[in-house]
Amino acid sequence: MSEPAPPLIHQLAQQRDLVRRLQSEFRGRPRRPRPQYLQRLNADVHAAVAKLQPPGDDSAARVDLINRLQTLVAQVSSSAKLQPFGSSVSGLHSAGADLDLTLVTEVGAEMPKGVQSELVNRLAELLTESEQMESVQARPNARVPIVALQDKKSGLKCDICMCNMLAITNSQLLRAYMSIDERARSLCFTIKFWAKRRSVNDPYRGSLSSYAWVLLAIHYLQTCEPPVLPCLQALRGLYWADDPRRMIIPNFDGRSFDCSFCSDVGALREAMGTLQPANSDSVAELLVGFFRRYTREFDFVKGVSSIRTGSFLSKKEKQWTTKEAGVRGHLFCIEDPFELSHDLGRVIGRDTLNDVRSELDRASQVRAPTRPPAPAPL
């Protein structure tokens, strides 16, 4: 039998030791912006985050849409269930954000691709006939077969994909991280908003997805000194999500992934509260640190950002040193926390990498002056 895992506090302390070693590898001590600037920036950030929050009836509208869609889906397959994922689950959706759903049946993620495609076409026909939805589009040949639609009643746009259990677990992992410290949620909202405003959040045009930017934010919060967030997947013991067993999740393409992570937010908060010193940085200070990380500290040539390990991996150990077929390159490497062969930065080419780095550099210079001008709009 294997030895029992160390207590949670001991494991968190070990993670802190790792962060200290990582910090020692960064060159120079960052110059701290003036307090007046940080105060004004912090106020601006909190005002922007508050403005981005969905209205009070948003949750009810999403539940109502899910229920109506579930009634229609049951006509296609009595065993089919709709489950939400994405920002609606992680707590990072803003006003009017799309609703992401996945259709799961008793067959589960092992449903053959041809059956998934057929189900997408049948569902699209039924949604159109119901006259409750508009702009219904079936994409049966996509990597993950999907139906896109817009609800006439609420105006919400919605994507229904097939058997994407991995996306559900990804969303639950992000929700756990956002629940540990409110600053994490505020920072992620701010970075998502910035990326959208600066047009660097569209993977179809060669930049990172919002999901990738959130992973980068979480990784920064894991590796700043002292850390704001722990590494949930590295914790061991009776802290797994749902049960103490390893969570092996089947994917839509038949592969399975180890998706175990610590989800006991209450125990984590209590244990982290006993570790000193605690990180007392404001969201503004964390925002400045985030942009400094990806302009002055991150190694684009050799490094890989990994929230799974709460550390930096190398492209060599990930075998991401050469360009593969169908991949623009491994130029800004971000490891998916569960699908470990998936580099979320592989959509970036050399030209778009320059654009992304230029925007990061611009944000870093605007956000961290040594004199206290009024903060520019996000």
Side-chain angles (χ1 to χ4, degrees):
M1 295 180 61
S2 60
E3 295 183 3
L8 187 55
I9 294 176
H10 180 60
Q11 295 182 62
L12 291 172
Q14 289 180 325
Q15 290 188 9
R16 285 193 167 208
D17 290 341
L18 172 62
V19 170
R20 291 191 188 97
R21 293 195 295 271
L22 290 173
Q23 288 288 328
S24 67
E25 297 176 5
F26 298 141
R27 295 181 179 178
R29 188 175 183 85
R31 297 181 66 182
R32 184 179 177 85
R34 292 175 179 253
Q36 302 96 315
Y37 174 83
L38 289 172
Q39 290 173 5
R40 297 179 65 178
L41 175 58
N42 204 53
D44 285 351
V45 167
H46 283 293
V49 171
K51 191 175 181 179
L52 289 170
Q53 299 309 300
D57 59 352
D58 177 81
S59 178
R62 290 172 188 270
V63 170
D64 175 67
L65 176 54
I66 293 173
N67 289 339
R68 286 186 287 116
L69 288 171
Q70 181 63 63
T71 300
L72 295 171
V73 164
Q75 299 178 39
V76 176
S77 172
S78 59
S79 64
K81 302 293 182 184
L82 292 176
Q83 295 191 34
F85 67 94
S87 60
S88 295
V89 173
S90 67
L92 292 172
H93 72 288
S94 54
D98 293 359
L99 175 63
D100 295 312
L101 302 173
T102 186
L103 186 151
V104 180
T105 70
E106 293 177 352
V107 180
E110 298 180 0
M111 183 189 300
K113 181 69 176 290
V115 176
Q116 294 182 32
S117 299
E118 181 182 352
L119 195 56
V120 159
N121 286 325
R122 290 169 55 199
L123 182 57
E125 293 175 1
L126 184 62
L127 292 170
T128 302
E129 292 171 359
S130 74
E131 298 185 350
Q132 296 183 49
M133 312 298 162
E134 59 187 356
S135 303
V136 179
Q137 293 183 342
R139 299 168 189 161
N141 298 319
R143 177 172 176 259
V144 183
I146 193 171
V147 180
L149 59 95
Q150 183 167 8
D151 180 35
K152 291 182 179 179
K153 180 179 178 181
S154 65
L156 288 170
K157 293 182 179 180
C158 178
D159 290 338
I160 304 176
C161 64
M162 298 293 110
C163 308
N164 200 347
M165 296 297 295
L166 195 62
I168 297 173
T169 313
N170 264 318
S171 305
Q172 293 170 344
L173 175 66
L174 298 193
R175 180 176 61 190
Y177 275 117
M178 297 305 106
S179 301
I180 294 171
D181 193 305
E182 179 59 31
R183 290 173 295 174
R185 187 170 177 271
S186 295
L187 181 66
C188 288
F189 259 109
T190 305
I191 292 170
K192 285 180 62 178
F193 178 57
W194 163 82
K196 184 176 182 179
R197 286 286 296 269
R198 303 308 303 172
S199 301
V200 288
N201 71 330
D202 188 350
Y204 295 103
R205 295 184 178 181
S207 56
L208 297 177
S209 65
S210 294
Y211 172 59
W213 284 114
V214 168
L215 292 187
L216 289 173
I218 291 173
H219 188 258
Y220 170 70
L221 295 175
Q222 289 176 324
T223 55
C224 60
E225 173 63 18
V228 174
L229 296 178
C231 177
L232 297 184
Q233 290 171 267
L235 297 173
R236 293 292 180 266
L238 300 179
Y239 315 110
W240 296 125
D242 299 326
D243 60 56
R245 295 171 298 179
R246 297 170 72 85
M247 294 175 59
I248 306 301
I249 303 298
N251 200 29
F252 61 87
D253 57 8
R255 295 180 296 164
S256 294
F257 301 95
D258 178 4
C259 297
S260 50
F261 66 92
C262 172
S263 65
D264 192 339
V265 173
L268 282 165
R269 284 176 172 170
E270 182 178 354
M272 292 179 70
T274 66
L275 296 174
Q276 297 298 327
N279 188 306
S280 59
D281 287 350
S282 66
V283 178
E285 291 171 294
L286 295 173
L287 182 63
V288 169
F290 172 84
F291 287 121
R292 182 178 62 245
R293 166 63 54 80
Y294 293 104
T295 54
R296 302 181 185 179
E297 298 172 346
F298 182 73
D299 187 345
F300 284 87
V301 176
K302 299 179 181 178
V304 177
S305 173
S306 168
I307 73 165
R308 172 181 62 92
T309 62
S311 181
F312 295 97
L313 305 177
S314 71
K315 293 182 182 181
K316 184 177 181 180
E317 65 185 294
K318 293 294 299 182
Q319 299 183 359
W320 288 347
T321 55
T322 58
K323 185 177 178 180
E324 307 154 24
V327 176
R328 290 176 180 166
H330 294 292
L331 304 175
F332 189 175
C333 292
I334 307 162
E335 180 192 63
D336 185 272
F338 299 135
E339 190 177 356
L340 305 186
S341 62
H342 184 194
D343 172 16
L344 289 154
R346 65 183 183 179
V347 296
I348 292 183
R350 295 198 176 277
D351 290 340
T352 48
L353 176 64
N354 289 334
D355 293 339
V356 170
R357 295 190 68 174
S358 176
E359 289 298 337
L360 286 165
D361 187 61
R362 172 189 176 277
S364 180
Q365 293 186 41
V366 169
R367 291 297 165 212
T370 55
R371 296 182 180 179
L378 286 170

